[in-house]
Amino acid sequence: MNALLPQLNRAFKPVEEFGTEGRYSLLPFNFSPADSQTRDWYVVANLCGDYAVITRTDLERLVDGRLDPNEDTYRLLRRKQILYDNLTRCTPTLLSAKYRTRAQQLANFTGLFMFVVTLRCNHVCPYCQVSRVSEDRDAFDMTEEMASRAVEFTFKTPSPSVKIEFQGGETMLNFPLIQFIVERAKEENRKWNKNLQFVIATNLSVATGEILDYCAEEDILISTSLDGPADLHNSNRPKRGNNSYELTIEGITRAREKIGFHRVGALMTTTERSLGRVRDIVDTYVEHGFHSIFLRPLSPFGDAVKTRAFDKYDAQKWIEFYKEGVEYILEINRGGYPLTEAYSSIILTKILTNQATRFVNLQSPAGIGIAGIIFNYDGDVYASDEGRMAAERGDKTFRLGNVIANSYEEIMLSDNLLNPLVASLPEAAPMCSECAFLPYCGADPDYHHATQRDFLGHKAFSGFCTKNTEVFRYLIGKIEAGGEDAEIMRAWLR
Amino acid sequence: MLTLSARKLEGNLDGLGRRVFRVTERANIPRATRNKHALLHRDELQCPDGFGLHIHLAGKPDGPRNIFLPPAFEYLSDGDIVVVDEGDKAIRTLYRRSCRSNSLLVTERCNHHCIMCSQPPRDVDDSYIVRDLLEAIPLMAQDTPSIGITGGEPTLLGDDFVKLLRSLKNNLPATAVHVLSNGRNFRNLPLCHAISKIGHGDLIFGIPIYSAEPDRHNYVVQAENAWSETIEGIINLKRFGIGVEIRLVMHKDTIAGMEDLAEFIRRNLTMVDHVAFMGLERMGFAATNWKYLFVNPRDYAATLGRAVRILDHAKIRTSIYNTPLCMLPDDLHSFAEQSISDWKNDFPEECAECSLKPRCAGCFSSTVEALKGLVRPKRTQPRQPMRKKTLDRTASAFVSEQAEIIFSSGLECIADVACGDGRNLTPFLGGKPKVHCYDINVAAISDFKSTHPEIELLCHEVDLLDSDFELPQAAFSLVILVHFYEQNLFRKVIGSIKPGGILLLETIDSHGANYLQLPRKGEVQAMLRPGFEILETRTGDIQETDRQTVKVCARKALAAA
Amino acid sequence: MVRITLQEKLYSRETVEMSLYRIAGKCSGEIRSTPEGWEVELHPLDKGPTDEECAHAFRTELVDQSLREQIGAKTEHVKTLILSNAFSKTTLIPQDECASTPT
């Protein structure tokens, strides 16, 4: 020791006297390869999602009890609650507290209620299974009686927050019913005083000044589709006149003026045509002043149900799309333009925090019914939007009942809801229950039913699994690499 | 720093015993209340009857219940509360009405022995303190904004601690209470339950955690099992809905682990109400271990910034205490609080003209000496004019002279550090060198670009005093450093010059207190001696200081064969 | 097709079955109990990997699964404690000292 350096007064004991005994105990944890190609590095994670990345050798030594307390790896694994010792006896209590926090969102129950106010639409989008009807047919609108009963159903939820989302068809073609539902919901909410939010999903092509004024008054958010630059957007959304993109941009501009810049959001639908165009898509969003973009996964539903082989192949192509997109978005952030990638933001929130994300497509147990539910134009109730679209293809597996003919209990306790919930539970599933990424992942019975005719799905064949695993590995890699990119991503946390 | 207590005073305290009084300067308060009051005499010697005590700052009349205080106690005023002891002939000020946040020391006993403790523990029976305070609390002003409870370790008082809290709730229902504690005793549920039952509306416990590593925390507090028990205590407090603030004192043994600790808190203790990063006070054991513990705040500002942002991004309320603003980068200023109790708050004299002083925490009285040479007062006027007055600006006289000696066409890549508006570059542009500019504000050099479009200009907007700021090694054939000097920066400048390259240094002219920004006598020459040939040097010693102005033109030796 | 023999005392049936489950995307497999131990037959899927690749993938999974079994055994007790404590109204493992129930 350098005698010239100042020392602590001798009356105080040095740090070496406060070390651990040397023996340690394991805490429950899972491990998975950190990389799809090699098995040199593993992600180890406990049941609350605290993770560390370590070598294969260290993993074996960890389990064998051969880690040395003076190693950095020992300290890392102790800090991340993969092991504990005589100095950290509080750890099991900490884990209980965190696990309780993570599970809290379940107790809040259903928070998202989708109302399909009409099937009528003025576009003919190839991937859309539902809106095949022209502008003229009134038989495809939800009635006021159904809407009333659906609002009553909605407020039976214990959740302190309720989000009512209007879907279609083209929702604004039945604007009077939207107004009816908003009024009924506000009235009902006087009893409950919940945090009530409305969103209209619309292509904005028929958004009149009067409609937008109403949205401004009632604080309604607008969510529209913007798939990318004009050629891409128009080919995804054919319309008579082939001017869907122009109409969309014009609609966004008018909506922003009326209801406020940040109350207008855009979502893309990712199709085969989108893959390979991610930079153009991001540029479109930046060009139009958006500060959030959602690189949505490919949907396996579409004109044809995918076979197993296509499923995983598509997952690979989407992964490339996503990574290229995120790298480009980070570049844009480094250049000074704040732009959040919403999918990464959701996943990072699951990895780095114990907070709920209310993203119904990646919850465990599955978000069907118990996080989000949908009332169709004919009064039928479905466990998810995908479930109602499957019904339009003739598959009523996820139909839970009818809002007029059935009670709340009959609907929420129906077999069509409980069976997929139980069957798809990752904590009870082979591979999933042992996966390091379990705390970040979720169940998707719709997806596996569509691709494998099975609510759980065999994950070795699942594009859903491949895709999610790659995203987790990629994001963990970015956070571990640190630097400016990691800081930018941390700012995306919800 | 205020004197809060004194012993062996003169006066006549016969039969008093030990009593608590509220101080008043009004001789005619109702008779019925006079017994609880001590009348403060600044000069008036007449002693109306009925008062429990007479405190004299001038004059020494005869008679019982008189105590004579030295001028150090002139701060006493209406509403203050003192305890007076007949046996010791002692007085202690327990509470000051005018103080923003009074701190009540409740015991000196502690189960920790922190290496930087500003109030070293004493294992004595000081139960009289609680008795004094229970008498004093009902006398405190109803509009007291907040009260701090400190020690030692307050929870060692057991039931007495609960009694104190209950008394504060009952007597001062509108007063916020902040208790400093190591939190370990909150492992006991009965204690948490008892506190929760009091139903105090604004109660928060400030609990230190010094590291995410339990052994390092236990070493700092010099106690086994501390870390684990503290965390269990925090979890319990939060389950009962009681406020918790986590504190970290920044010194040599805690700074390296700050970011890991922030990450640990973010992940495991998200529910805490506040996190405070605290500058070191030079009292008690911190004074004993000062040379070992003290770190220049500017040296850890970068890691502090990262730690603060980890918590801030997670929406955990975070503050920086006891740290002068000039030692923090601008983006951390919003986290800095004026946290030092007024009676021990002080500023080095060079801070007098600083434009940030009204918002700055300043120093502890005990740390003024240590921080004196390190503060950087912010001039109220910008160093260079922000708006150019004419397009035609000329380099300084010294630079212009040296430019004639230096062979400027051989310059391919040059740098102006603290470039301002770039005027000192003008003599060197003949050979169209690549120019790198470094300054905290690059707006001023924007005109240079338009008047010299043919020059490739790269601007770097940086804080030159940031310890993380680096210049590229051996990169420039000429580096200009005019009107800005700091020793570490100068070292980096020297390193960035190519062998055979030129250094042009000109410090500011001296006036007023700015001499502190000048190099010490001989410092520059010593740093240049290995490796530089001095071509021209002019210095000017500043009277009565160890500083000098320096102008030097020097060439770096070519690499040894 | 490739055939691998494993010692029964080193690998439980579950471990072997889970390993086969994990590589089902590459090859199908069968397990038989014989006097020499577990006999595993691997059949690469059409247009899939070679026999070598299948055998390698299987062995890799086997080692990982074995490790998982060990971890499961060592942490079963503390896992039960953590989960039951997470959903109870009391606090602190192992027990609380007071009848009152915090939130």
Side-chain angles (χ1 to χ4, degrees), chain C residues 45-93:
Chain C
L45 294 182
D46 289 346
K47 298 180 197 129
T50 64
D51 279 351
E52 295 302 299
E53 285 166 356
C54 276
H56 176 72
F58 175 69
R59 287 192 207 281
T60 309
E61 292 302 339
L62 200 60
V63 175
D64 276 2
Q65 272 312 113
S66 202
L67 205 55
R68 288 187 176 108
E69 208 176 37
Q70 285 179 58
I71 295 168
K74 289 184 179 188
T75 59
E76 191 185 324
H77 178 62
V78 72
K79 184 174 184 177
T80 310
L81 267 180
I82 290 171
L83 289 178
S84 61
N85 200 62
F87 296 110
S88 75
K89 289 218 139 216
T90 59
T91 106
L92 284 193
I93 297 163

Side-chain angles (χ1 to χ4, degrees), chain A residues 461-475:
Chain A
F461 297 98
S462 164
F464 169 88
C465 180
T466 307
K467 175 205 77 181
N468 284 330
T469 308
E470 269 314 295
V471 171
F472 299 138
R473 286 174 174 151
Y474 173 73
L475 290 174

Side-chain angles (χ1 to χ4, degrees), chain A residues 26-33 39 42 47 56 59-60 62-65 84 91-93 95-97 99-100 103 312 430-435 456-461, chain C residues 18 20-26 45 57 60-61 63-65 67-72 74-76 78-93 103:
Chain A
L26 293 180
L27 288 159
F29 76 93
N30 284 331
F31 64 86
S32 298
R39 297 278 182 137
Y42 279 78
L47 38 70
R56 181 53 208 252
L59 173 60
E60 280 170 31
L62 163 70
V63 178
D64 268 352
Y84 72 121
T91 310
T93 305
L95 285 169
S96 292
Y99 198 82
R100 187 188 303 122
K312 292 195 81 167
M431 286 178 73
C432 297
S433 61
E434 294 176 331
C435 180
L456 174 61
H458 193 309
K459 298 309 191 309
F461 297 98
Chain C
M18 264 314 302
L20 289 176
Y21 188 93
R22 283 174 171 272
I23 60 170
K26 295 191 164 79
L45 294 182
T60 309
E61 292 302 339
V63 175
D64 276 2
Q65 272 312 113
L67 205 55
R68 288 187 176 108
E69 208 176 37
Q70 285 179 58
I71 295 168
K74 289 184 179 188
T75 59
E76 191 185 324
V78 72
K79 184 174 184 177
T80 310
L81 267 180
I82 290 171
L83 289 178
S84 61
N85 200 62
F87 296 110
S88 75
K89 289 218 139 216
T90 59
T91 106
L92 284 193
I93 297 163
T103 48

Side-chain angles (χ1 to χ4, degrees), chain A residues 258-398:
Chain A
K258 290 271 187 181
I259 74 173
F261 196 95
H262 294 291
R263 306 187 76 80
V264 181
L267 285 178
M268 77 176 75
T269 303
T270 314
T271 62
E272 292 286 332
R273 276 180 276 246
S274 314
L275 305 178
R277 301 287 304 275
V278 73
R279 292 169 79 102
D280 293 336
I281 298 171
V282 176
D283 283 338
T284 307
Y285 274 70
V286 173
E287 190 190 325
H288 295 291
F290 287 99
H291 289 283
S292 174
I293 180 172
F294 195 140
L295 296 177
R296 283 169 91 191
L298 270 177
S299 163
F301 320 99
D303 295 321
V305 174
K306 307 286 179 172
T307 63
R308 281 181 177 186
F310 274 119
D311 187 21
K312 292 195 81 167
Y313 174 59
D314 279 346
Q316 261 320 112
K317 287 195 293 181
W318 183 84
I319 290 287
E320 281 154 31
F321 166 85
Y322 167 78
K323 286 185 184 174
E324 192 188 343
V326 172
E327 290 298 328
Y328 185 52
I329 288 166
L330 287 169
E331 193 187 309
I332 287 175
N333 276 277
R334 288 196 297 271
Y337 183 90
L339 179 60
T340 302
E341 199 287 292
Y343 190 65
S344 305
S345 157
I346 290 166
I347 306 295
L348 282 168
T349 302
K350 284 164 160 290
I351 294 175
L352 294 177
T353 79
N354 293 311
Q355 244 131 279
T357 59
R358 286 189 283 206
F359 178 56
V360 304
N361 289 9
L362 200 66
Q363 304 288 356
S364 177
I368 52 169
I370 64 175
I373 203 164
I374 186 162
F375 307 106
N376 209 0
Y377 72 98
D378 56 7
D380 279 354
V381 184
Y382 290 87
S384 61
D385 201 21
E386 291 80 3
R388 89 137 157 153
M389 292 201 280
E392 295 297 326
R393 294 196 301 271
D395 179 355
K396 304 232 171 180
T397 305
F398 292 98

Side-chain angles (χ1 to χ4, degrees), chain A residues 146-206:
Chain A
M146 293 170 193
S148 255
R149 295 289 284 267
V151 169
E152 265 170 51
F153 186 106
T154 297
F155 281 90
K156 287 209 198 281
T157 183
S159 172
S161 287
V162 163
K163 187 181 199 182
I164 291 181
E165 199 174 282
F166 298 104
Q167 293 276 0
E170 171 43 49
T171 47
M172 289 188 179
L173 290 175
N174 192 2
F175 194 68
L177 190 70
I178 291 180
Q179 288 173 296
F180 177 82
I181 292 168
V182 169
E183 298 309 314
R184 287 287 294 115
K186 280 167 54 180
E187 200 185 304
E188 188 69 28
N189 195 32
R190 268 196 272 279
K191 276 186 257 170
W192 304 103
N193 212 23
K194 293 184 192 284
N195 175 16
L196 182 57
Q197 205 178 66
F198 299 102
V199 185
I200 300 179
T202 168
N203 59 37
L204 285 171
S205 59
V206 293

